[in-house]
Amino acid sequence: MTNRIFLSALCAACVGLAGAARAQQHDPATPAAVAAKVALRGEANGIAVREMRLVRKNDILSVQADLSSSVRSDRTLFYRFKWLDNVGNQVGDGESWKQLTVLGLGQQTIKSVAPTGAAVDLRLEMNVEPR
């Protein structure tokens, strides 16, 4: 009887892990180097981050990310940038979530600037919803 309970718990854990792995499924059009900087909350729903450019000016990091839609219907995108220091800790209080409509088969560029010169890396957190 205990083996059955153990197997049930193990199966439940595997299903949970599979769900977590599925939540990070990036659009195939997102390059691997860019996908490493994107944290998806749910499915990509046809939105790909095609390119991400980081520039340091006057000791402050700034980013521009190009998004594109591979589907005909509009998508609502919620996003924020999380700025990180040289050991991976968050710098600053964090940005609030921003909302953006990405038109079907359209392209959009989003931008942000680090709050301090201590930022050396970033993560783009995104949640994409069909309209």
Side-chain angles (χ1 to χ4, degrees):
M1 190 67 136
T2 53
N3 283 344
R4 184 174 292 168
I5 294 171
F6 173 75
L7 288 175
S8 295
L10 184 62
C11 288
C14 289
V15 168
L17 287 174
R22 198 175 321 121
Q24 283 295 311
Q25 291 293 326
H26 294 277
D27 188 286
T30 299
V34 173
K37 295 195 177 298
V38 176
L40 278 175
R41 295 176 175 258
E43 300 293 325
N45 287 321
I47 299 296
V49 183
R50 300 276 184 177
E51 188 175 345
M52 194 177 286
R53 293 173 299 283
L54 280 83
V55 177
R56 184 171 292 277
K57 289 183 183 176
N58 299 326
D59 204 34
I60 301 291
L61 203 57
S62 64
V63 63
Q64 289 188 10
D66 296 335
L67 311 173
S68 68
S69 173
S70 62
V71 293
R72 294 190 181 280
S73 58
D74 298 348
R75 299 288 189 243
T76 301
L77 172 71
F78 296 92
Y79 74 95
R80 67 182 174 188
F81 288 94
K82 183 177 179 180
W83 296 95
L84 308 172
D85 65 12
N86 59 352
V87 293
N89 293 324
Q90 182 173 331
V91 174
D93 293 333
E95 293 185 353
S96 60
W97 287 96
K98 297 170 187 70
Q99 181 177 343
L100 175 71
T101 298
V102 181
L103 300 177
L105 302 176
Q107 297 180 2
Q108 198 81 32
T109 299
I110 55 177
K111 304 173 187 180
S112 184
V113 177
T116 71
V120 298
D121 199 9
L122 65 94
R123 293 295 174 271
L124 169 58
E125 295 180 280
M126 294 182 5
N127 181 25
V128 183
E129 297 180 2
R131 291 185 80 196

